Amino acid sequence: MTTPLLGTSFIGHSRATGTEACGFGIQPGTGTSLEPAYHSATPEEVEKAMALAAAAFPAYSALSGKLRAGLLRAIATEIEGAVEDIVERGLLETGLPEARLRGETGRTTGQLRMFASQIEEGSWVDARIERADPDRKPIPKVDLRSMLRPLGPVAVFCASNFPLAFSVAGGDTASALAAGCPVVVIAHAAHPGVAEIVANAVIRAAHATGMPEGIFSVLYGGGRKVGQAVVKHPVTQAVGFTGSRSGGTALMAAANSRPQPIPVYAEMSSVNPVVILPGALDRGEEALAEAFFGSLTLGVGQFCTNPGLVFLPAEKGGAFLTKLKSLVEAGTPGMMLNASICQSYADSTAAFAATPGVETLARSANQAGPGQGAPAVFVVSIGDFLKHEALQGEMFGPATLIVRGSLGEIEAVIPKLEGQLTASIHATTEELAAQASLVQALQGRAGRLIFNGFPTGVEVCSSMVHGGPFPATSDGRSTSVGTMAIYRFCRPVAWQSFPDAALPAELQDANPLGIRRMDPAVPA
Ligand code: NAP
């Protein structure tokens, strides 16, 4: 390890001195504690991190997009420089394989650079200009110009299942820093060491680019204790979260109970329905089963986009089920992220198996070792599916529920589903055209529609929507992946009758930044 791990929070540029131990990194499978012990931020240290964030906000939010982009690029470079440490520690504390850790590091640095490019270019602020018209009748028109401005300090909760891309310097942090918001991160107990390595990289980048102290802090001590205090703190203006439905809804309640309620962008629970139409089965049931199994078991099923619910025509699909059964039976158990996720996978699959009407089509014949999860597939009729609301719940791991019914029944059930991150449809193009109302119903329930594909593998780009109606997310108008994620941490501000020189550069007459603007005086 190039920089020794200290096991303490980052309060702006300083390290905390809190001495209350809150746990160790734990090696999945063996349960071995990994040095060092981690220590909770004290209430005074939380207060100090919040005060620093509040103090940093005016200066940081006033920096140009180019300067903030410099910070994001410097963070990416520092993380790349720490990749060997990330892999060494990540292998020990996350159960993830090396290729995944390296790949996720690349995704994280790619996200940082994507937001850097977005704010360097600058048009994202949605500048709108309406010039004054003193001669307008019956009343003169005032000069009115608007653009997006950052909200203020943002609390970011690290996710257990993405120790890099949705954690300390992940998408929530990158988009909040890009918008001009200081960030206070709540580390996840499942990967405290990786969090510390990445936090060190961010602090080095903040120093190197001359950023005001307080734009970034990382607190240990968990969500229930330290995280709740940060969410309730008056300085905090928004929350980014990826995790369980119970955690996300608890944070929504905390944010709403404040004297000033604030937005919570929580990505929580999605089973990502896959609808298979007869034409897709006619193309080759076995090949479809193989492709589905690949998506189901990717990352031991621990993705928010895991396909946990399939609608299959009742009268067809025998070969699909036979093939899937054989794949699942031969399926290899994989190490899960931590003991608690492994236990909740065992509990949820057992609960599905015990639900009246649910048949266990297949479980892996290979014995799962300690900390491992093995593939499983269950089948139920659409009638029994509708009788048991719990069957809409998430089995976080490589398990899926196949629901069989007529096409009419399937279409009728879609509007009754909870909100989803994704919905997939497998069909011929002719079927797709003929089933417009089914597609419309899926659109009403999900943030991303997929044709003849599977939901795992989330492209990070400007048109990605990784969001959806509750409980997929707390606010279906947002995405936590892609450049649109920046809009979660801004609000529109209008300037009325301000002199040109007193306006932000984005709104000045000469358009000194050369950005795209909505300006009727300038032809597009
Ligand atoms: P989690 O229990 O929601 O924990 C995530 C973070 O939220 C942790 O820092 C946790 O702090 C905090 N938290 C939880 N409950 C809280 C509360 N009432 N108030 C304040 N903070 C709270 O999620 P997890 O440990 O990562 O995984 C548990 C389950 O969540 C999984 O088995 C899976 O079902 C689901 N999950 C879903 C996704 C998804 O993308 N859909 C991703 C990850 C996990 P503490 O350490 O104090 O608990």
Side-chain angles (χ1 to χ4, degrees), residues 21 27 33 66 98 228 251 300 344 391 422 471 513 524:
Q27 187 171 29
S33 297
K66 286 195 169 46
E98 178 172 346
Q228 284 272 354
L251 296 178
V300 200
S344 94
L391 293 178
T422 73
L513 303 180

Side-chain angles (χ1 to χ4, degrees), residues 11-142:
I11 312 296
H13 291 173
S14 315
R15 296 303 289 269
T17 53
T19 51
E20 190 196 329
C22 60
F24 292 85
I26 303 288
Q27 187 171 29
T30 66
T32 306
S33 297
L34 305 165
E35 293 291 339
Y38 279 80
H39 297 86
S40 280
T42 63
E44 295 72 31
E45 286 163 345
V46 172
E47 195 54 46
K48 174 123 192 268
M50 301 317 300
L52 284 170
F57 179 55
Y60 183 63
S61 62
L63 291 179
S64 68
K66 286 195 169 46
L67 286 174
R68 291 205 303 274
L71 167 68
L72 298 183
R73 291 191 190 284
I75 296 172
T77 304
E78 288 291 345
I79 290 175
E80 278 164 354
V83 69
E84 299 308 324
D85 285 354
I86 290 170
V87 170
E88 182 188 328
R89 179 75 187 195
L91 283 172
L92 290 173
E93 70 182 8
T94 68
L96 294 173
E98 178 172 346
R100 162 72 189 275
L101 290 164
R102 288 190 191 278
E104 204 185 312
T105 304
R107 173 172 168 178
T108 306
T109 55
Q111 287 174 168
L112 286 156
R113 293 191 174 108
M114 175 189 74
F115 285 112
S117 299
Q118 182 184 24
I119 60 177
E120 267 163 353
E121 192 280 327
S123 302
W124 71 275
V125 297
D126 191 20
R128 293 160 184 250
I129 297 178
E130 292 274 359
R131 289 163 207 279
D133 180 0
D135 299 327
R136 193 183 69 174
K137 300 285 184 277
I139 48 165
K141 181 179 174 185
V142 293

Side-chain angles (χ1 to χ4, degrees), residues 157-162 186-191 221-229 231 241-251 254 267-270 272 302-305 336-338 340-345 348 394-397 421 466 471-472:
F157 285 73
C158 295
S160 57
N161 62 339
F162 277 95
I186 292 87
H188 197 290
H191 38 73
R224 280 156 234 260
K225 201 165 140 195
V226 171
Q228 284 272 354
V231 171
F241 169 93
T242 302
S244 68
R245 185 165 172 171
S246 60
T249 49
L251 296 178
E267 189 213 308
M268 298 172 285
S269 156
S270 181
N272 305 295
Q302 299 163 110
F303 289 125
C304 39
T305 49
M336 300 199 82
L337 289 155
N338 59 56
S340 137
I341 284 181
C342 188
Q343 187 58 52
S344 94
Y345 178 62
S348 57
E394 201 177 32
M395 295 178 276
F396 195 67
L421 291 171
H466 190 65

Side-chain angles (χ1 to χ4, degrees), residues 247-321:
T249 49
L251 296 178
M252 290 164 72
N256 275 323
S257 70
R258 294 166 38 122
Q260 176 219 357
I262 53 171
V264 174
Y265 296 102
E267 189 213 308
M268 298 172 285
S269 156
S270 181
V271 291
N272 305 295
V274 176
V275 178
I276 298 176
L277 297 187
L281 293 168
D282 292 340
R283 279 195 303 246
E285 298 193 25
E286 296 206 342
L288 188 60
E290 273 172 26
F292 173 75
F293 181 74
S295 177
L296 178 69
T297 52
L298 194 70
V300 200
Q302 299 163 110
F303 289 125
C304 39
T305 49
N306 190 56
L309 183 63
V310 179
F311 290 99
L312 188 67
E315 71 284 3
K316 277 184 94 104
F320 173 85
L321 290 175

